[in-house]
Amino acid sequence: MNLLQIYQKPENAAILHSRYYVEGAMFGAGVSPEIPMPDVWLPWAIQHQGQMKNKKQADAITDALFDYFKYCLQLMKENKQVLPDYCVLEDDRESWGPDSALSQWMQGLLTAHSSMEKVWQNAWKLMQAANPEQAPILAKKLKHSLGMFSTFADVNLAIEQARERGQEDFTEKLPLIAQSLHDTLETYVSISGELASYLPNQFETFVQKP
């Protein structure tokens, strides 16, 4: 499932952020240890506020986003989360810019994580209090995951920063590093699941639009 259908209408595409960004943001919202309500994540998809033509258009966009969000939740509930097929590092280095499909998806995911930072921190505090020995392990895994996502959200910046650190072979290693993105995403989701275990079961409480 994807959001391609609503983007086939120019009037929708003109209002929304890119499909890749929005799909990443919706996935990121679903990964949050505490599942946010639609009024939290719907604004992340809208690039130009107040430009809906009518209620019919607004409802069509909202329904499509809501269905995709539920789809992401179901994937994670069944432990079937996967990177979209377009989330690949192309062979052509000229395509590694921030407008690539991979980078936009990662930008959306990081937007969601940043926006839900307080939720992550709250769950983290509860985990530390109940299971302090687990904290250093999860902290290392989470830092690595977010670092990977940031790398591919802006590949050129990551290359520049690597050069400043003296990692001259970083560019050549990127294709190999990209191959581990799927595993990194699984780790990120598993960390959220671990943190969510210290909170009420969000899959049961989120059942319908308000």
Side-chain angles (χ1 to χ4, degrees):
M1 182 180 182
N2 57 50
L3 293 172
L4 183 58
Q5 183 175 355
I6 61 171
Y7 281 88
Q8 290 176 333
K9 294 185 176 182
E11 62 268 28
N12 293 340
I15 294 172
L16 302 170
H17 286 287
S18 81
R19 170 196 156 199
Y20 309 121
Y21 176 92
V22 174
E23 288 184 2
M26 295 300 96
F27 189 92
V31 176
S32 176
E34 183 175 347
I35 298 170
M37 296 300 291
D39 61 335
V40 173
W41 50 259
L42 275 172
W44 302 345
I46 310 299
Q47 185 174 22
H48 300 291
Q49 300 286 346
Q51 293 190 13
M52 296 287 183
K53 289 186 176 181
N54 48 50
K55 186 176 184 298
K56 181 179 179 181
Q57 182 189 23
D59 288 345
I61 290 176
T62 299
D63 289 345
L65 293 173
F66 191 78
D67 287 344
Y68 188 76
F69 182 66
K70 290 193 294 183
Y71 165 74
C72 291
L73 291 179
Q74 191 62 33
L75 285 180
M76 284 176 272
K77 188 175 183 180
E78 298 175 358
N79 197 28
K80 294 180 180 179
Q81 64 279 348
V82 293
L83 278 173
D85 292 339
Y86 56 74
C87 281
V88 295
L89 190 69
E90 301 291 347
D91 293 334
D92 180 12
R93 294 183 182 180
E94 295 297 323
S95 67
W96 287 6
D99 291 333
S100 70
L102 170 61
S103 290
Q104 290 182 57
W105 195 89
M106 290 299 170
Q107 291 163 23
L109 177 62
L110 289 172
T111 292
H113 184 91
S114 177
S115 299
M116 299 302 296
E117 185 68 27
K118 289 184 179 179
V119 169
W120 281 85
Q121 290 177 352
N122 179 52
W124 193 272
K125 289 178 182 178
L126 293 173
M127 179 273 295
Q128 282 185 308
N131 195 4
E133 66 276 8
Q134 183 74 355
I137 300 172
L138 291 184
K140 183 177 181 179
K141 289 182 178 180
L142 182 59
K143 181 179 179 180
H144 173 75
S145 297
L146 294 175
M148 283 279 285
F149 301 153
S150 296
T151 292
F152 292 98
D154 193 334
V155 176
N156 292 328
L157 177 61
I159 291 174
E160 180 181 340
Q161 292 174 337
R163 286 174 179 166
E164 292 175 354
R165 296 192 299 267
Q167 294 177 274
E168 298 297 335
D169 61 344
F170 182 75
T171 302
E172 285 67 36
K173 290 181 177 179
L174 270 174
L176 181 61
I177 295 173
Q179 292 179 20
S180 64
L181 273 173
H182 178 77
D183 291 340
T184 302
L185 187 65
E186 286 190 340
T187 297
Y188 179 65
V189 173
S190 70
I191 293 170
S192 175
E194 177 70 19
L195 296 177
S197 68
Y198 298 93
L199 299 170
N201 191 326
Q202 300 300 314
F203 282 113
E204 293 181 0
T205 58
F206 184 87
V207 292
Q208 61 183 6
K209 287 185 283 188

